[in-house]
Amino acid sequence: MEEVERLKELTKSLHWHNYLYYVKNKPEISDYDFDILLKELESLEAKYPQYASKNSPTKRVGGDITRKFEVVNHNYPMLSLANTYSKDELEAFIERCEKGLGKSPEYICELKYDGVAISLRYKNGELEKAITRGDGTKGEDITNNVKTVRAIPLSISGDYPDEFEVRGEIFMPLDAFQRLNESRLEAGEDTFANPRNTCAGTLKMQDSKIVAERELDSYVYGFLSDKQGFIATQFEAYEKLNNWGFKVPQKHDNKVLVTDKPQEIFDFINYWDKNRGQLPFEIDGIVIKVNRFSDQEELGYTSKTPKWAVAFKYKAEEISTELLDVIYQVGRTGAITPVAILDPVSLSGTTVKRASLHNADQIEKLDLHKGDYVFVEKGGEIIPKVTKVDIEKRKGRNLEKINFISQCPACNAELKRVEGEAQHFCDNSLNCSPQVAGKLIHFISRKAMDVEGIGAESIEQFIHAGLIKLPSDLYTLEFSDLIKLERWGEKSVENALEGIEKSKEIPFQRVVFALGIRFVGETVAKRLVKHFGDIDNLISASRETLEAVPDIGPRIAESLRNYFDNPLHIEEINRLRSFGLKFQVEESEKKLENAVFEGLNMVVSGTFTSFDRNELKALIERHGGVIKSGVTSKVNVLVAGENMGPSKRQKAEGLGVEIWTEQQFLERLDRRD
Ligand SMILES: NC(=O)c1ccc[n+]([C@@H]2O[C@H](COP(=O)([O-])OP(=O)(O)OC[C@H]3O[C@@H](n4cnc5c(N)ncnc54)[C@H](O)[C@@H]3O)[C@@H](O)[C@H]2O)c1
Ligand SMILES: [Zn+2]
């Protein structure tokens, strides 16, 4: 009866992994390992059906219900997909479909976007509710958060039915994920592990303003309506959805394929296996569906999956190599990050020499020894990560266990770790050289004071020459100081001094960001400045006052108080102020406060009911958008009025430019703070 024990044990452990994955968004095993365990349970249940639980993970979709949102019943069950990693099993799927239908049907192949499933209900052309998959029968109402996803239309136009449902995937594009992690690093926060879990966690946040900043994207892949009859195939549904303003895969860049030849399915899989690295988002496989709705109905469903579709999943690329050493980096805020130094090895087309280890707990969990062979995997991150040790290869070798350091590698100060935080810290900030340099480099960086004419190397050089130690020292530099330095000529010295002088014009919110206070990234700086208006108000704000500001939680409030309670920091601020840096909001800035269209290149075309075209353009510019004259690949949004030429629309669609109706434009405008 050992096998029955195993069956029970697997059932329990898969429930647990589902919980970690769907509710906590912190899986402890890889998807591949999960899928292997699930297959094992499936075969044991086939052998001992009397012991299979009614709620077995093989029969139910893994639930994401957190009870933080209202729970809503689905109008149509929201199922999972059968999956396979093997081409033989895919052949078997094709055979099953042919046998079931008594003919060779048409198939449609699509990307399997690695994000979070969402159900979108539309009523009279308006987005009414957005619901998570939940347990398949009921999910959570996260409408407010979903409304911030630009690719999802809030209202649509065209020949749509009164009521219908769209199913799709919301995901975090790779560049948004990297930007988010960079800004978290800048703010001294832990980075996120991968785009999928970050997206899932984001969609379950209580504050939709933060969700809006996370730049989520979406593709839709399903259409459901009681009046489905007027659409016959999955692909026709895509054409309709496209016309109504949804983002669907396009044939011209091979993101979707309709075929009745199995060979072309395999070609499609191979093509994307080779080329998926070029996509701006992560996929974990290809979904193959029977294209015709009537054929789908004929094939039917199990309790967990449709029988007319299957996911062919790619195995995450991983490779084993020797761990040569672990080094420790000291960040600007004093955070210590361990980095694995690896015997160089080629992975997904790049040579990998280093991998991130995150923190002491991670090293402990992996049980790393110097000289171990470790598996490295490339996810959405900039540098790959170590996933596990190849224990087999440790056998018979006497390796030394890696213990996290207790002193700062740069200044020898005793490291500290705050209760409940993952990172170790060196708090000798004024005398620890990587921190001194890191703070200065952050101060001059583009998003902060944007000092032209000097870069990270110059900062290191100035520090080395004893010219600077604090940001305020930059404003005391003179021609005679710099001209003495190696590699500096008259012209470059003048440029540097001019750059420093010009930085005095940088607006207050970026000065606050430039100070490099822990957890105060660009967004937080913006909020603080908007709320307090000048530095004195901010300095004197109590913890309670700080926490009352939107988006400022206890952790940020505490960090701000710690910073301002240090007299050395106040002295530095006063010094910067005496050099003429901006420590209050300018009148002219107040007008630009609501920069909802910041970072968007926009084209306006056609005629509008609420304003004339020039008014509209001025409105966009006042809210941070940039007006372009023609539709090119650099354009993000086309605001389409009445009577816009069809060729412009076609061009925009071809380039994947978002198209907003006047109504949609007004809604975005209203979504400002
Ligand atoms: N690592 C872990 O601990 C752990 C735990 C639970 C689940 N998982 C992973 O999650 C999988 C189960 O998740 P699941 O039930 O969401 O299944 P799935 O992610 O394998 O497939 C179903 C989902 O695919 C998505 N999808 C993406 N593109 C699609 C397209 N073009 N058409 C249709 N659907 C598309 C939909 O959201 C759908 O719900 C497991 O097989 C495993 O890989 C991992
Ligand atoms: Zn130190």
Side-chain angles (χ1 to χ4, degrees):
M1 282 284 100
E2 243 171 58
E3 284 188 317
V4 174
E5 280 310 304
R6 176 74 180 153
L7 182 154
K8 290 181 181 160
E9 181 190 301
L10 277 172
T11 308
K12 223 162 112 189
S13 111
L14 286 167
H15 275 309
W16 173 243
H17 286 299
N18 265 338
Y19 171 76
L20 291 174
Y21 183 86
Y22 289 107
V23 180
K24 290 284 171 203
N25 298 312
K26 270 199 167 86
E28 285 178 356
I29 58 174
S30 74
D31 287 359
Y32 183 73
D33 291 342
F34 180 93
D35 292 336
I36 296 290
L37 295 178
L38 193 73
K39 293 242 147 102
E40 188 186 344
L41 178 59
E42 238 165 46
S43 63
L44 287 172
E45 286 179 347
K47 211 162 154 190
Y48 306 99
Q50 68 275 34
Y51 292 107
S53 114
K54 257 199 340 266
N55 289 323
S56 164
T58 60
K59 297 202 195 82
R60 295 275 172 113
V61 308
D64 66 28
I65 301 210
T66 60
R67 309 245 160 238
K68 287 198 280 182
F69 297 86
E70 196 193 335
V71 175
V72 182
N73 284 326
H74 285 301
N75 290 337
Y76 310 87
M78 209 168 163
L79 301 178
S80 177
L81 284 171
N83 72 44
T84 178
Y85 292 82
S86 117
K87 297 206 171 148
D88 287 346
E89 283 182 18
L90 182 54
E91 296 263 16
F93 163 79
I94 294 171
E95 266 168 40
R96 272 199 309 277
C97 291
E98 287 182 1
K99 216 168 138 203
L101 296 167
K103 64 169 185 191
S104 326
E106 205 170 58
Y107 298 94
I108 182 164
C109 304
E110 311 161 11
L111 304 181
K112 187 171 185 299
Y113 320 104
D114 201 5
V116 175
I118 192 77
S119 169
L120 306 165
R121 281 188 202 163
Y122 286 81
K123 205 168 179 177
N124 299 321
E126 303 282 326
L127 173 62
E128 195 200 30
K129 259 192 182 23
I131 310 160
T132 67
R133 195 174 74 183
D135 64 4
T137 346
K138 50 192 186 317
E140 287 184 316
D141 178 347
I142 55 166
T143 314
N144 287 336
N145 288 345
V146 170
K147 278 187 171 169
T148 70
V149 180
R150 290 183 182 201
I152 294 177
L154 303 180
S155 61
I156 59 174
S157 49
D159 55 341
Y160 51 81
D162 302 342
E163 284 190 44
F164 66 94
E165 216 170 295
V166 176
R167 296 279 167 83
E169 193 86 350
I170 298 181
F171 54 86
M172 182 174 280
L174 286 167
D175 59 350
F177 176 69
Q178 281 174 13
R179 268 198 294 278
L180 177 63
N181 266 351
E182 275 161 25
S183 73
R184 287 180 71 86
L185 268 183
E186 265 171 14
E189 291 173 296
D190 289 342
T191 53
F192 290 122
N194 65 56
R196 198 221 80 100
N197 296 323
T198 312
C199 175
T202 301
L203 285 171
K204 293 282 177 95
M205 291 174 86
Q206 297 294 336
D207 185 347
S208 35
K209 268 192 251 136
I210 307 181
V211 182
E213 281 159 8
R214 295 271 173 97
E215 306 174 83
L216 302 179
D217 199 351
S218 151
Y219 271 102
V220 297
Y221 50 68
F223 171 77
L224 295 155
S225 160
D226 294 339
K227 297 196 193 113
Q228 199 148 346
F230 73 114
I231 303 176
T233 69
Q234 183 80 22
F235 188 73
E236 273 176 45
Y238 285 166
E239 287 178 317
K240 283 277 180 223
L241 287 163
N242 189 30
N243 288 339
W244 298 337
F246 292 92
K247 198 158 152 189
V248 295
Q250 306 283 339
K251 274 185 175 170
H252 67 82
D253 54 4
N254 205 27
K255 289 206 181 76
V256 59
L257 169 81
V258 177
T259 180
D260 55 7
K261 300 185 189 65
Q263 184 52 45
E264 290 188 354
I265 298 178
F266 290 102
D267 293 344
F268 188 84
I269 289 174
N270 293 338
Y271 174 84
W272 283 112
D273 194 11
K274 255 202 227 96
N275 292 290
R276 67 189 157 120
Q278 259 107 59
L279 286 168
F281 48 82
E282 288 199 315
I283 61 170
D284 61 339
I286 297 296
V287 184
I288 300 103
K289 301 172 183 166
V290 170
N291 193 28
R292 188 160 294 278
F293 288 144
S294 55
D295 289 345
Q296 294 184 357
E297 285 319 306
E298 205 173 327
L299 289 167
Y301 301 82
T302 73
S303 62
K304 192 180 170 186
T305 60
K307 291 186 190 167
W308 43 266
V310 70
F312 182 91
K313 300 233 274 191
Y314 298 124
K315 201 169 174 258
E317 246 192 287
E318 65 171 16
I319 197 156
S320 139
T321 186
E322 192 179 349
L323 174 71
L324 301 177
D325 203 357
V326 174
I327 60 161
Y328 298 86
Q329 290 174 341
V330 186
R332 163 172 73 76
T333 56
I336 309 291
T337 312
V339 177
I341 304 296
L342 305 166
D343 191 12
V345 60
S346 165
L347 177 66
S348 315
T350 51
T351 304
V352 175
K353 297 180 198 137
R354 300 168 153 234
S356 69
L357 289 168
H358 300 296
N359 52 48
D361 293 344
Q362 183 70 6
I363 293 184
E364 202 48 46
K365 210 168 100 192
L366 290 165
D367 184 30
L368 286 186
H369 287 58
K370 203 163 161 174
D372 264 338
Y373 277 79
V374 294
F375 286 100
V376 277
E377 185 184 303
K378 225 165 153 182
E381 291 170 297
I382 312 159
I383 77 168
K385 58 180 164 232
V386 173
T387 53
K388 57 177 178 256
V389 171
D390 191 342
I391 295 292
E392 277 303 303
K393 289 208 177 146
R394 188 189 283 166
K395 281 192 182 139
R397 296 162 74 211
N398 190 8
L399 302 179
E400 180 196 338
K401 187 173 159 62
I402 288 173
N403 289 310
F404 201 84
I405 48 171
S406 58
Q407 285 174 323
C408 174
C411 73
N412 282 325
E414 204 65 32
L415 297 182
K416 300 203 169 122
R417 185 175 184 176
V418 181
E419 222 12 77
E421 278 190 30
Q423 225 73 5
H424 280 75
F425 277 89
C426 163
D427 67 1
N428 183 19
S429 65
L430 294 173
N431 291 301
C432 179
S433 60
Q435 292 190 58
V436 169
K439 285 197 172 68
L440 275 155
I441 291 167
H442 169 74
F443 185 82
I444 62 156
S445 66
R446 203 173 45 82
K447 289 181 187 164
M449 301 304 284
D450 194 18
V451 181
E452 279 174 39
I454 55 179
E457 267 180 49
S458 341
I459 291 291
E460 307 265 6
Q461 198 184 6
F462 298 171
I463 294 175
H464 204 72
L467 291 172
I468 58 173
K469 195 164 172 185
L470 293 167
S472 59
D473 297 333
L474 283 170
Y475 298 92
T476 66
L477 291 176
E478 290 183 6
F479 189 88
S480 55
D481 295 326
L482 302 190
I483 197 72
K484 290 186 293 217
L485 300 175
E486 217 175 298
R487 295 193 309 270
W488 287 80
E490 241 167 71
K491 188 78 204 147
S492 53
V493 170
E494 269 164 21
N495 283 343
L497 292 174
E498 200 178 308
I500 293 170
E501 189 58 31
K502 256 182 38 202
S503 73
K504 294 179 181 170
E505 295 307 313
I506 291 293
F508 179 37
Q509 69 178 49
R510 281 168 58 187
V511 177
V512 172
F513 173 60
L515 292 177
I517 305 166
R518 204 167 163 226
F519 302 139
V520 179
E522 280 177 285
T523 317
V524 171
K526 200 153 68 188
R527 294 265 189 278
L528 290 171
V529 163
K530 201 164 161 185
H531 194 91
F532 292 101
D534 71 40
I535 194 80
D536 296 316
N537 288 337
L538 179 57
I539 291 174
S540 58
S542 68
R543 207 175 280 233
E544 293 71 37
T545 314
L546 289 166
E547 280 187 43
V549 179
D551 295 346
I552 310 291
R555 207 177 50 136
I556 302 177
E558 176 171 331
S559 166
L560 283 161
R561 271 315 346 143
N562 282 344
Y563 185 88
F564 292 125
D565 286 341
N566 183 339
L568 295 174
H569 291 147
I570 301 295
E571 199 180 301
E572 170 69 357
I573 288 171
N574 287 334
R575 210 158 158 239
L576 288 169
R577 183 153 38 180
S578 73
F579 290 121
L581 272 68
K582 294 205 189 303
F583 279 98
Q584 63 187 37
V585 181
E586 306 274 285
E587 280 310 309
S588 57
E589 277 175 69
K590 288 188 182 154
K591 294 206 187 80
L592 245 177
E593 251 170 27
N594 292 319
V596 263
F597 302 135
E598 191 154 17
L600 293 183
N601 288 329
M602 300 172 69
V603 170
V604 170
S605 182
T607 54
F608 298 86
T609 37
S610 326
F611 15 60
D612 76 37
R613 209 151 57 193
N614 286 331
E615 251 171 45
L616 179 60
K617 286 184 180 171
L619 196 62
I620 289 175
E621 282 174 338
R622 238 185 302 134
H623 288 83
V626 176
I627 296 290
K628 296 277 168 195
S629 55
V631 175
T632 65
S633 60
K634 297 234 161 57
V635 168
N636 308 89
V637 177
L638 169 63
V639 187
E642 300 283 11
N643 305 323
M644 184 185 73
S647 63
K648 212 168 215 167
R649 174 176 287 271
Q650 253 173 22
K651 187 159 183 208
E653 281 169 358
L655 291 167
V657 171
E658 271 189 56
I659 303 177
W660 296 353
T661 59
E662 180 169 354
Q663 177 62 27
Q664 286 168 325
F665 171 82
L666 287 170
E667 277 168 3
R668 310 273 170 176
L669 192 64
D670 268 351
R671 229 183 275 165
R672 63 199 155 179
D673 300 343

